[in-house]
Amino acid sequence: MSGCEARDAKKLVRSPSGLRMVPEHRSARSPFGLDEPPWVPDKECPRCMQCDTKFDFITRKHHCRRCGKCFCDKCCSKKVPLPRMCFVDPVRQCAECALISQKEMEFYDKQLKVLMNGATFFVTLGTSDKSELMVCRLSNNQRYLVLDGDSHYEIEIIQISTVQILTEGFTPGGGNTRAIGMILQYKVPGSEELMQMKFTASEDFSCNKKLSVSWLAAMHKATKLLYESRDQ
């Protein structure tokens, strides 16, 4: 097993919430992941935290695996996949959390694959007036943005400070817009200085501009998940 494979190795663990397939090393976890929440202690929730039904021998309490709050079966009946917490099987969630998790599944089912497949951009480093045509993709372990052209860059996702999606077509009346590029600010490990890269979708049809626009839309969603993971 190589060093990279060893760092990316996973193990099956059982928690009160269910079976999870997690990285053996915390440093190898996905930057989009969420930690399991602490459960509200049983003694602190005599009633459902949604409908206020009193718990008794017949009305059992259940904990939402995403928020950790107590609910009755009616308010916490859905079992939904929760890849951000590495659950192997769909897990019980309250209605509000289930809705969020179901929306996130589109990212894991579609947009994450778009990011990993990559797209072509003109990339400008810092304040340079020169750009380089590069293929940009998310690494399979989700931890790096990999850029390949005449040059090669690997940007650690957790080092990204801001992502600004550039659009065109906006009108004061709220007209349609489309993504045409992005500006990325990130830190180089060991330095507090912010580096900047600008990505511009190519006008050349052979570079498949439609794919680049889809990649930018997926990156916009990924950025939202990244910020949520940091704020938890």
Side-chain angles (χ1 to χ4, degrees), residues 1 31 33 53 82 108 117 148 172 191 219 227:
M1 183 181 292
T53 297
L82 187 47
Y108 281 90
N117 287 337
D148 277 309
S191 171
M219 188 64 186
Y227 290 159

Side-chain angles (χ1 to χ4, degrees), residues 71-86:
F71 302 92
C72 66
D73 183 69
K74 182 180 178 181
C75 294
C76 195
S77 60
K78 292 187 177 181
K79 289 191 175 182
V80 180
L82 187 47
R84 294 185 74 184
M85 291 184 190
C86 304

Side-chain angles (χ1 to χ4, degrees), residues 35-134:
D35 290 328
E36 277 191 272
W39 281 10
V40 174
D42 287 350
K43 62 182 179 181
E44 293 182 13
C45 53
R47 296 176 178 273
C48 174
M49 300 178 80
Q50 177 63 41
C51 69
D52 206 36
T53 297
K54 186 176 181 179
F55 295 124
D56 54 29
F57 182 74
I58 297 176
T59 305
R60 297 179 57 200
K61 65 183 64 174
H62 301 277
H63 286 85
C64 171
R65 272 50 174 173
R66 186 179 180 114
C67 68
K69 295 178 180 178
C70 270
F71 302 92
C72 66
D73 183 69
K74 182 180 178 181
C75 294
C76 195
S77 60
K78 292 187 177 181
K79 289 191 175 182
V80 180
L82 187 47
R84 294 185 74 184
M85 291 184 190
C86 304
F87 284 109
V88 174
D89 300 309
V91 290
R92 189 185 291 269
Q93 297 177 56
C94 67
E96 183 177 348
C97 286
L99 187 60
I100 295 171
S101 295
Q102 286 169 340
K103 289 180 179 179
E104 288 175 352
M105 282 309 300
E106 181 184 353
F107 173 76
Y108 281 90
D109 287 342
K110 299 177 182 179
Q111 293 157 330
L112 193 58
K113 294 173 185 175
V114 170
L115 291 174
M116 289 179 177
N117 287 337
T120 305
F121 297 93
F122 281 111
V123 179
T124 307
L125 185 61
T127 57
S128 172
D129 56 359
K130 296 181 180 180
S131 61
E132 180 180 340
L133 193 62
M134 307 187 82

Side-chain angles (χ1 to χ4, degrees), residues 164-182:
Q164 178 187 356
I165 303 297
L166 305 175
T167 60
E168 68 176 9
F170 174 77
T171 61
N176 292 332
T177 62
R178 64 189 182 102
I180 58 171
M182 73 174 178

Side-chain angles (χ1 to χ4, degrees), residues 181-195:
M182 73 174 178
I183 295 177
L184 196 73
Q185 289 188 321
Y186 63 97
K187 291 180 181 178
V188 176
S191 171
E192 290 300 312
E193 182 182 0
L194 276 179
M195 302 291 288

